[in-house]
Amino acid sequence: MGNFSAKNSRQVNNETEHSSMMSNKRKVNLNTKHIYDSCTMCLGPFGIQEERVPRICMNIKCGRLYCTHCVNSVQILNGNNKRFRCMYCLLEYPRDKIPREHQLLIQQLWNNMAIKYGIRYTRHLLSKNLTENNMIDLWCDIECRRRHLVNLISTLEHFSRWAQAHQVMTDAHIMAEKLLDIVTRIKEDPIGSMNTCQNEYKQIISISDHDNNNDIGSLYIRLCEHLLVDISDAEFYRAFSNTHAKMIEWNCALASHDQFQPQILDLILTIEKDLDDQWSTHHHDIVRAKIGIIGYTCVGKSTILNRLLGVEDVTTDESSPVRSIKSTYYQLQFDRKEPLISPDNRLKKTAVTLVDIQGHDKDIATVDSQVEPGNYLDEIRKADCDIYILVFDEKLRYEQYGWITYIEQTLKRHCILVRSKVDIDFLAKFRERSGIYFGKSTPIQRNQFIPTIIEQLRFDNEVESHQVYLTAADYMPSSSDAELLLKDQSFDIKILFDELSRLAFDARNHRIHALAMRALARVINICFRRGYVLNVFNYKIGAGFAAVVPFGDQLPRYLARDHIRQAFGLTKNFRQYLTQFHLTIDEGCLQTSTLENCVTATMMKSKSSKGSLGAAVGGAFIASAPFSDDIIRAAAPAAVAITGGARIALTASTAVVGVVISGIVCAWSAVDSGKHIFGYVNRVCDDFILVSNPLIATIIDINSRRYEQTL
């Protein structure tokens, strides 16, 4: 397919007209949330880089999306003899067919990238005749992009042990150095560099060839997106290094032979080892609580973040860029050097990462019901923070209340409200009440008016059910009055620190839980669920032979289900391991009976009253259902005691009993039994993920309480 760039985004333009002719059902699917979510298999986000390009299942009723990396991995493991099979709808593809690229979504991703990265403004700067004053704007744009790139490079290098060195990192270093050279020349000689810097800047950040006409910013976007994915993966691998190593080991085993090696108990014990490491002394900062800053563009988000970081100089690469226009294009991560210390227990120290999330344009409405690219709710979700700070500099708008609701009710995260730039309102009210400027007032006058003004500010910015923290964290006060005020008045900065410090400790536990569930689900999907999708069961062959007997095809299904449980390691030892935790499932329901005796579920999947009748017999034999049950009950005890080829032989031996039915019916039974077997694999995997949620929560709680006892 080649490198994915803006070139690819234009290549799909000709297909847009064809896409508009798709069925209404497909159009509806394009607007659903899961279509934009992540890869069905590895759970990684989609992107514009080659390995993250989305591919859609050819079954219109399914519409599940896979990333190109996972599809290619399946093809490699399949070899020449096995076909691709969708993990969810279980459709077996024709030979040499795989899910196709979702061109409409790829185009949409590129269009949103152009908006997200502020390419329109850069294009404007590169298309106009610059003056000496305009060069300042160009310098700011280049310097801002350079600092974004440097932040990504340094963040990824922080995980260097878990991140592979590759060409993208080298290209990013080269681009950052070239951008630094331009900003240096502009700063030293803006007039002399006026004629060359525009063209150089354009060439550096763009992919240039005759096909894409040097589309501005395409190379910069591609590098940044690639680094963002690498950072996410490296962070995950670092937190669960043992689990990641186990997944690689099992993948190699699946690729080398048909014997299935992954075991559920091995997986959970490996994750338990990774969880234990999170509370060890030398690993306690592996997983950091993440605090994200959100709000409208230019309300002071980056300034608040720099204050929380303890940054003194905002011109350094260690700070988040501060500008009078949009200065954040994607999530910038900054590790706070000092941990947050709980005011309630000084021994509770939590390492945190602050995330500068791009601001939302006030002119673009947020649609609460559609979490999709370009929607600010999607940016909030993708930032994946444990605590969100909503910064605002005027009365909260209706859509901002929607953000709060989404964070607290949908994401189940904390949302803290911070009113910024309070010094402006404070100074105006001081002049109104005292009749003089703050700088000309006496200490007595200040003591007289400050308490009542702050009380008025709290009343003006009051939000029901939420405390609002007043801040004025400007590094460059707008007046001498403001400079004098901020020397003695920090407003609620210390109180804000205390609240964040209280929440951070528990927030870190929730983050560990979320990462552990992601690790477990990824291994289940890639090694267990996909492993059996890749390995064809011989039981469906036996079902075809057994179909000559009424209800005979039920026996291979029964044997296959038992074989799956044995292969997964769902044995007595594993059940005993689960039972000791006394787990309760409050949400969701078990889809199989495999684990129902190991946990307490508040809901169970209702059993169908129709039963599962053999595909070969159809409605003519419905009255004989008890007969089929007798066959299975009689054969099952002996069948479970044997393994491998003996089970298949037993299945085939049932063909000598009863009546002869056409080969077409036998073939249909084989196919139907195959789908049933794969479906059972999916249901067992879903049940284990469901049960693992309270299991991991219990393990984390045990470790956390043990750690607190040592404080």
Side-chain angles (χ1 to χ4, degrees), residues 407-479:
I407 291 169
E408 295 182 340
Q409 296 186 12
T410 302
L411 298 182
K412 307 296 183 184
R413 312 289 169 85
H414 294 285
C415 186
I416 293 177
L417 307 186
V418 172
R419 170 64 159 85
S420 65
K421 304 179 182 179
V422 172
D423 55 320
I424 299 174
D425 287 351
F426 179 94
L427 293 174
K429 291 182 184 298
F430 189 90
R431 288 194 300 272
E432 291 174 2
R433 289 173 178 267
S434 66
I436 58 175
Y437 287 99
F438 184 81
K440 295 182 178 181
S441 63
T442 65
I444 295 176
Q445 289 172 317
R446 294 172 191 171
N447 291 335
Q448 176 184 356
F449 292 110
I450 284 177
T452 56
I453 292 175
I454 291 180
E455 181 182 356
Q456 181 65 44
L457 288 171
R458 294 195 188 283
F459 177 80
D460 292 343
N461 294 281
E462 189 177 36
V463 175
E464 186 178 354
S465 74
H466 284 79
Q467 179 176 351
V468 177
Y469 297 88
L470 307 179
T471 63
D474 198 347
Y475 283 83
M476 298 180 65
S478 57
S479 65

Side-chain angles (χ1 to χ4, degrees), residues 360-395:
H360 182 62
D361 192 336
K362 293 181 181 179
D363 297 329
I364 301 177
T366 303
V367 182
D368 293 348
S369 60
Q370 295 181 359
V371 184
E372 59 187 34
N375 189 314
Y376 200 56
L377 296 182
D378 190 57
E379 295 300 326
I380 293 173
R381 178 185 64 85
K382 288 189 295 187
D384 189 29
C385 296
D386 310 297
I387 302 169
Y388 289 89
I389 299 177
L390 172 55
V391 181
F392 59 100
D393 61 355
E394 58 183 15
K395 286 286 186 180

Side-chain angles (χ1 to χ4, degrees), residues 151 155 228 231 235 288-295 301-302 304-306 308-309 320 328 330-336 352-359 376 379-380 382-391 511:
N151 176 266
T155 302
L228 283 167
I231 289 170
E235 185 179 20
R288 290 169 163 260
K290 281 193 174 182
I291 302 173
I293 318 293
I294 63 171
K301 300 185 304 300
S302 297
I304 293 292
L305 181 139
N306 288 329
L308 294 176
L309 284 173
S320 186
T328 306
Y330 43 77
Q331 297 88 28
L332 299 179
Q333 297 188 42
F334 300 88
D335 288 344
R336 193 174 190 274
V352 299
T353 295
L354 291 133
V355 184
D356 196 352
I357 303 170
Q358 68 165 315
Y376 200 56
E379 295 300 326
I380 293 173
K382 288 189 295 187
D384 189 29
C385 296
D386 310 297
I387 302 169
Y388 289 89
I389 299 177
L390 172 55
V391 181
R511 180 160 199 82

Side-chain angles (χ1 to χ4, degrees), residues 598-609:
C598 310
V599 298
T600 301
T602 55
M603 292 188 297
M604 292 295 295
K605 187 175 180 66
S606 60
K607 299 186 180 296
S608 172
S609 59

Side-chain angles (χ1 to χ4, degrees), residues 62-235:
C62 175
R64 296 281 179 170
L65 294 176
Y66 299 87
C67 69
T68 297
H69 174 75
C70 284
V71 171
N72 290 341
S73 298
V74 171
Q75 288 300 96
I76 292 172
L77 294 176
N78 274 351
N80 298 323
N81 300 321
K82 300 171 185 175
R83 302 181 183 185
F84 187 92
R85 182 188 295 272
C86 177
M87 290 170 52
Y88 282 87
C89 72
L90 306 180
L91 173 69
E92 188 173 61
Y93 280 56
R95 194 169 299 278
D96 299 327
K97 294 290 185 180
I98 58 175
R100 61 177 177 81
E101 290 182 2
H102 196 308
Q103 298 288 11
L104 196 61
L105 182 52
I106 294 171
Q107 181 186 22
Q108 186 174 2
L109 286 171
W110 266 107
N111 292 340
N112 287 319
M113 290 298 170
I115 298 172
K116 174 181 176 180
Y117 282 84
I119 297 301
R120 181 171 174 268
Y121 181 69
T122 301
R123 187 180 292 117
H124 166 72
L125 291 175
L126 294 177
S127 63
K128 64 186 300 185
N129 294 324
L130 296 179
T131 64
E132 186 174 354
N133 289 333
N134 295 144
M135 288 298 291
I136 298 176
D137 295 331
L138 181 65
W139 181 89
C140 288
D141 192 74
I142 300 172
E143 173 65 3
C144 186
R145 293 197 184 279
R146 184 193 70 81
R147 288 176 62 179
H148 276 59
L149 200 56
V150 168
N151 176 266
L152 292 182
I153 293 171
S154 61
T155 302
L156 184 57
E157 287 177 342
H158 179 67
F159 300 112
S160 58
R161 177 181 169 187
W162 294 269
Q164 296 180 350
H166 48 64
Q167 188 61 40
V168 173
M169 179 68 85
T170 303
D171 293 343
H173 273 290
I174 293 173
M175 179 180 288
E177 291 172 0
K178 289 181 177 179
L179 294 177
L180 178 60
D181 178 64
I182 294 180
V183 298
T184 302
R185 282 189 283 131
I186 292 177
K187 195 171 183 178
E188 293 175 349
D189 184 14
I191 297 178
S193 59
M194 193 177 299
N195 296 326
T196 60
C197 288
Q198 272 182 307
N199 189 49
E200 286 184 33
Y201 181 35
K202 181 178 181 180
Q203 291 178 351
I204 290 171
I205 65 174
S206 309
I207 298 175
S208 178
D209 60 41
H210 65 280
D211 290 329
N212 66 21
N213 193 29
N214 202 357
D215 200 10
I216 294 174
S218 53
L219 179 58
Y220 180 82
I221 293 174
R222 181 174 174 271
L223 286 178
C224 290
E225 287 295 304
H226 207 305
L227 292 174
L228 283 167
V229 171
D230 288 347
I231 289 170
S232 177
D233 289 342
E235 185 179 20

Side-chain angles (χ1 to χ4, degrees), residues 545-611:
F545 288 111
V548 299
V549 178
F551 309 103
D553 61 338
Q554 298 299 299
L555 180 59
R557 297 184 184 189
Y558 181 92
L559 298 176
R561 291 195 294 269
D562 182 68
H563 180 90
I564 292 166
R565 291 190 290 268
Q566 293 296 322
F568 278 6
L570 297 172
T571 60
K572 180 180 179 181
N573 289 339
F574 177 69
R575 292 185 175 89
Q576 288 177 343
Y577 173 85
L578 278 186
T579 303
Q580 66 177 321
F581 291 99
H582 306 289
L583 303 176
T584 299
I585 302 175
D586 295 324
E587 297 181 1
C589 58
L590 297 174
Q591 301 185 55
T592 70
S593 60
T594 305
L595 302 173
E596 64 182 5
N597 294 326
C598 310
V599 298
T600 301
T602 55
M603 292 188 297
M604 292 295 295
K605 187 175 180 66
S606 60
K607 299 186 180 296
S608 172
S609 59
K610 295 182 179 179

